[in-house]
Amino acid sequence: MAGTQRYLRYIVFALICLILLFFISSSSTVSSANWPGYANPPSPQTGGDAKTPGTTPNTGGLPPAVKEGDRMNATFVTLARNSDIWEIAKSIRQVEDRFNRKFNYDWVFLNDDDFNDEFKKVTSALVSGKTKYGKIPKEHWSFPDFIDQEKAAKVREEMKEKKIIYGDSISYRHMCRYESGFFFRHPLMLDYEWYWRVEPSVELYCDINYDTFKFMADNKKKYSFTLSLYEYVETIPTLWDAVKNFTATFPQHISPGNSMKFLSDDDGKSYNHCHFWSNFEIGNLNWLRSDAYIDYFTSLDHAGGFFYERWGDAPVHSIAAALMLKKEEIHFFNDIAYYHVPFTHCPTGEQYRLDHKCHCNPKDNFDWNGYSCTSRYYELNNIPKPEGYEKEQ
Ligand SMILES: Nc1nc2c(ncn2[C@@H]2O[C@H](COP(=O)(O)OP(=O)(O)OP(=O)(O)O)[C@@H](O)[C@H]2O)c(=O)[nH]1
Ligand SMILES: *[C@@H]1O[C@H](CO)[C@@H](O)[C@H](O)[C@H]1NC(C)=O
Ligand SMILES: *[C@@H]1O[C@H](CO)[C@@H](O)[C@H](O)[C@H]1NC(C)=O
Ligand SMILES: [Mg+2]
């Protein structure tokens, strides 16, 4: 009897070993076949984490790979040179990770030169939607005939001596004029109603889990921003005069219920230099293509300040939005955490930042700094400031 028992024990032991071996090998094939995890619905965490002292269960799970539902008539748009390739690659990767891998919107690239193969290869590999590459027509990137080029050259010399940033640059002026008056009229852009502008070297710090274009449409927004600040006065000494001439000539284009209070502290007599920072924009292209905006741009263009001064597209777009849109049509995206050197918008509100896996330092948030114009926007629209803003001032 004792011999049979020992015999049985050996058999049971061998069986257990076999079963164990089977589980080890099969479980490792299952998990590797299922990698990457994004393909799976978030699975409830096993109790193992919670039972291990010093660890916490991740109850947040992983976001779904692609959002269901219709897409808007929208595109990303980037103006860039071939030499911007690695800096724009960085921006694209962040926009894709935080937003576009879930929505797969197209991306239009514009350049005053031809894009080279490397630029196209790298950017099209990174973008989850279609990519399109456009060359800017010469007449949108050169001195218009009504500009006195000698006078413009003298201004650049003076600005260089005063050490005004980009003060002596011709290409920077063409860029500002192009972004002010032409990008939305490029043939590739005519196919779309909405745009999101992205520049090289920008960062996004939080997940964006909803369609921002749809949000704009559903809430009747036309223009939006994440950062606002005061413009460098030396670059726009006569911009406000040109604006006043425009409003006198085209009073029909000025909207009732506009955001004049954002721009002026004396009912429009003078400009306080506040503007939305246009390196980030989500906006409506049909508004930019409207008679009102085109009349505005044409009027400013003829005043000459893109070349005789150094007008930036940020104050040009901002003044247009503030005067020609109803104030409710301009949106502040508190939830889009954004960086363009040297300023950060990090959403106020800790719970929001945790829920959206933000990686910005709230101490870097510029919104409540004295040089930001964002509190004016809140006050003018009677929006209560987000909880906790006092601590960030
Ligand atoms: N194709 C082309 N794109 C340009 C040129 N100059 C600027 N850009 C693009 O225009 C946008 C604004 O130019 P930036 O040099 O970023 O200007 P900025 O944001 O005022 O200044 P930075 O602090 O240097 O970023 C970026 O998307 C640039 O890639 C140019 O000469 N040709
Ligand atoms: C997208 O918008 C543009 C501009 O309004 C329009 O011409 C085009 O037909 C629209 N495309 C679709 C698919 O709706
Ligand atoms: C004012 O605007 C009108 C119409 O755009 C233009 O003809 C005129 O030259 C402008 N005057 C100045 C001083 O800019
Ligand atoms: Mg830039």
Side-chain angles (χ1 to χ4, degrees), residues 73 189-193 286 289:
N73 187 355
M189 297 301 286
L190 298 180
D191 290 346
Y192 301 98
E193 189 184 348
N286 289 339
R289 291 186 286 244

Side-chain angles (χ1 to χ4, degrees), residues 78-81 84 110-112 141 166 171-172 175 179 197-200 279 340-341:
T78 293
L79 176 65
R81 295 154 287 214
D84 292 318
L110 301 173
N111 187 355
D112 55 308
W141 196 281
Y166 299 116
S171 68
Y172 192 85
M175 180 277 286
E179 294 284 22
R197 174 170 164 183
V198 177
E199 283 202 1
N279 45 64
H340 176 293
V341 66

